[in-house]
Amino acid sequence: VVARTTLMLSLLLFMIPGTVFLFLTDGIDETFKNGSAAGLITFSVLIILFLLFQTTGCLSILVGWFDRTFPKSEARPAVDHLLQLCNMMSGYYREHHTLCFKSIWYGWLGWVAGVIELYFTLYFLGVELSWMELWTIEAILQLVRVGSFFIPVSLGAQEAGLVVIFMSMGMSGPLGLAVSLVRRIRELIWIGLGLLLGGSAAFKPMRIPAESSEQP
């Protein structure tokens, strides 16, 4: 949970400059700008509330209310488990805040790597954009992926999102679809390598040293 939270915080820090670049770029539809800003604000509020829920012990207040309202509930063991989990998370933030900041920093670098990937993808497709435009495209794309979290690997949402983004920025829709297909191929290769390495490690026979026949 903590790792996922720091990853989302790093994404938030990555999307803020992208949204600023979006409003600084001319020729983009105002409706698209306003919709992106509204999505960013919603995402920011949810992430901050989730972080506060973990760090301030809000769950303890809910558990106290639950005890007063349902003193003999059968769900008490599950509630106690949630309370213990909340205490562990809040304690981790207090005791290892440096590690949390490092996690956010490395997560942010990972999102920036997506901008570099987008640059090379468009470069080999014969299109050159400014870094501001590249950052904007990647930031809005990640916002689309977050909004479509309930769809496995954002299948279809990423493709439609890139088509809309490119068309809103005055480029062709097929170009956005081509970028999405290139990214899907990269994801398939990456997942395939992970499964291959994981499978070989999981099913690799282990040598068990033979027990000595000599008695002590």
Side-chain angles (χ1 to χ4, degrees), residues 209-214:
E211 296 182 0
S212 176
S213 60
E214 297 180 359

Side-chain angles (χ1 to χ4, degrees), residues 19-41:
T19 306
V20 174
F21 296 154
L22 176 65
F23 280 89
L24 293 178
T25 304
D26 297 328
I28 300 179
D29 183 66
E30 290 296 328
T31 303
F32 181 75
K33 290 182 178 181
N34 295 333
S36 301
L40 176 63
I41 292 173

Side-chain angles (χ1 to χ4, degrees), residues 38-167:
L40 176 63
I41 292 173
T42 303
F43 176 71
S44 303
V45 171
L46 292 176
I47 291 300
I48 292 174
L49 288 177
F50 187 55
L51 178 64
L52 292 176
F53 186 80
Q54 297 178 56
T55 57
T56 58
C58 294
L59 190 58
S60 302
I61 300 175
L62 294 178
V63 170
W65 172 85
F66 187 86
D67 283 339
R68 293 190 299 270
T69 308
F70 308 100
K72 298 182 180 180
S73 174
E74 296 180 356
R76 177 65 193 184
V79 174
D80 289 339
H81 181 71
L82 288 176
L83 180 60
Q84 183 181 5
L85 180 62
C86 181
N87 292 332
M88 291 174 59
M89 289 188 296
S90 60
Y92 187 90
Y93 283 112
R94 290 193 303 268
E95 298 173 8
H96 304 285
H97 54 274
T98 302
L99 293 178
C100 292
F101 284 121
K102 286 183 178 180
S103 178
I104 294 173
W105 166 247
Y106 287 123
W108 186 83
L109 291 179
W111 300 119
V112 174
V115 179
I116 300 175
E117 176 191 354
L118 181 61
Y119 167 79
F120 283 107
T121 301
L122 289 173
Y123 177 80
F124 288 109
L125 289 175
V127 179
E128 293 190 19
L129 299 177
S130 66
W131 286 104
M132 182 182 297
E133 293 172 320
L134 292 170
W135 197 299
T136 299
I137 294 172
E138 185 67 22
I140 303 304
L141 173 61
Q142 295 305 325
L143 185 60
V144 171
R145 291 177 65 92
V146 169
S148 58
F149 68 93
F150 53 90
I151 303 176
V153 297
S154 296
L155 189 62
Q158 174 177 284
E159 288 71 20
L162 278 171
V163 169
V164 173
I165 292 170
F166 273 74
M167 293 182 65

